[in-house]
Amino acid sequence: MPYYYLTASLPGIEMEAPPPFSAEEFRAMCVSVLEEKDLSELDCVLEDRIADGRSVFCREYAAVETQLRNALARVRAGHRKIEASSWLRDHPGFSVAVEKAVTDAWAKTGPLERERVLDRHRWQVLEDLALRDSFGLPAVLSFAARLKLAGRWAEMTEEKGQSRLAELLTGLTANETLQKMGAAADLTKKQTGGEHHE
């Protein structure tokens, strides 16, 4: 079913620019417009349950995502000299572009740059899928998925990165403290001959 008014009113978005509104706000915009089955597909996209979707869009994007994750698993396994087969999942079709995106990403030195290459590929795939029906459900779902990507990149600020690092370091420090306390308790038990039972 075409959604002319909704798709025509959607603003342009860029991956690394702040999104015009949140995914939740977009869903609220769609509730009174989309048919029930299409709203269900939108929920699959917004809730990262793309593999649960029944639309052609969801099936095709899920296949791309699975191939991308498989390619990443093979690259990581190769670097660690382990077998990747237990991490690989079946998917229909094959895209040379996906394999190239993973190769290009892995050539980058930092994890952020690798993520950027992979997400740019995802973005391009989503734009291509939207072109299948520029006024229909594919355009709506593509916008939703790109909105989530833009939101993800908007969260990747220096300040939030430092905050997350501080949380991780605090967790590590707390864990080390607990381990030292446990080791001290074990040593005390050994020195006193263990627990005494009456």
Side-chain angles (χ1 to χ4, degrees):
M1 174 180 173
Y3 296 109
Y4 296 113
Y5 180 78
L6 176 62
T7 53
S9 66
L10 294 176
I13 52 174
E14 296 177 22
M15 190 178 88
E16 294 182 68
F21 36 74
S22 70
E24 293 77 16
E25 289 170 322
F26 180 58
R27 186 189 188 282
M29 290 167 52
C30 294
V31 168
S32 60
V33 178
L34 298 186
E35 291 184 356
E36 189 174 336
K37 64 181 177 57
D38 291 346
L39 187 61
S40 177
E41 294 295 297
L42 178 63
D43 287 338
C44 287
V45 172
L46 294 178
E47 296 167 9
D48 294 321
R49 296 184 296 105
I50 195 86
D52 294 338
R54 297 184 176 190
S55 63
V56 173
F57 175 95
C58 284
R59 289 199 307 270
E60 290 188 4
Y61 190 60
V64 167
E65 189 63 30
T66 302
Q67 183 185 340
L68 189 147
R69 290 173 187 270
N70 283 350
L72 282 171
R74 284 193 299 273
V75 170
R76 288 176 177 145
H79 282 272
R80 294 182 179 140
K81 297 186 177 11
I82 58 175
E83 180 57 48
S85 58
S86 60
W87 288 283
L88 303 182
R89 302 291 175 261
D90 290 335
H91 62 86
F94 182 85
S95 168
V96 173
V98 168
E99 301 295 320
K100 182 180 185 312
V102 171
T103 301
D104 291 348
W106 207 257
K108 301 296 181 184
T109 53
L112 186 66
E113 281 305 309
R114 288 177 180 171
E115 283 296 310
R116 183 174 281 114
V117 171
L118 294 174
D119 279 354
R120 281 185 179 148
H121 178 72
R122 288 180 173 107
W123 193 276
Q124 184 60 57
V125 169
L126 290 166
E127 286 186 332
D128 291 346
L129 288 173
L131 294 176
R132 302 277 179 87
D133 187 352
S134 299
F135 296 103
L137 184 62
V140 176
L141 299 181
S142 170
F143 184 86
R146 285 180 287 135
L147 190 66
K148 281 184 63 76
L149 275 178
R152 178 173 178 263
W153 280 91
E155 292 286 313
M156 292 188 197
T157 63
E158 185 82 20
E159 182 181 307
K160 287 182 180 175
Q162 289 177 349
S163 173
R164 179 64 182 139
L165 178 61
E167 286 174 17
L168 290 170
L169 291 174
T170 300
L172 286 172
T173 304
N175 191 36
E176 287 173 3
T177 302
L178 288 172
Q179 288 177 349
K180 286 177 183 174
M181 289 171 63
D186 289 344
L187 182 60
T188 302
K189 280 183 184 177
K190 285 180 184 175
Q191 290 173 340
T192 59
E195 294 182 11
H196 296 286
H197 298 283
E198 293 185 8

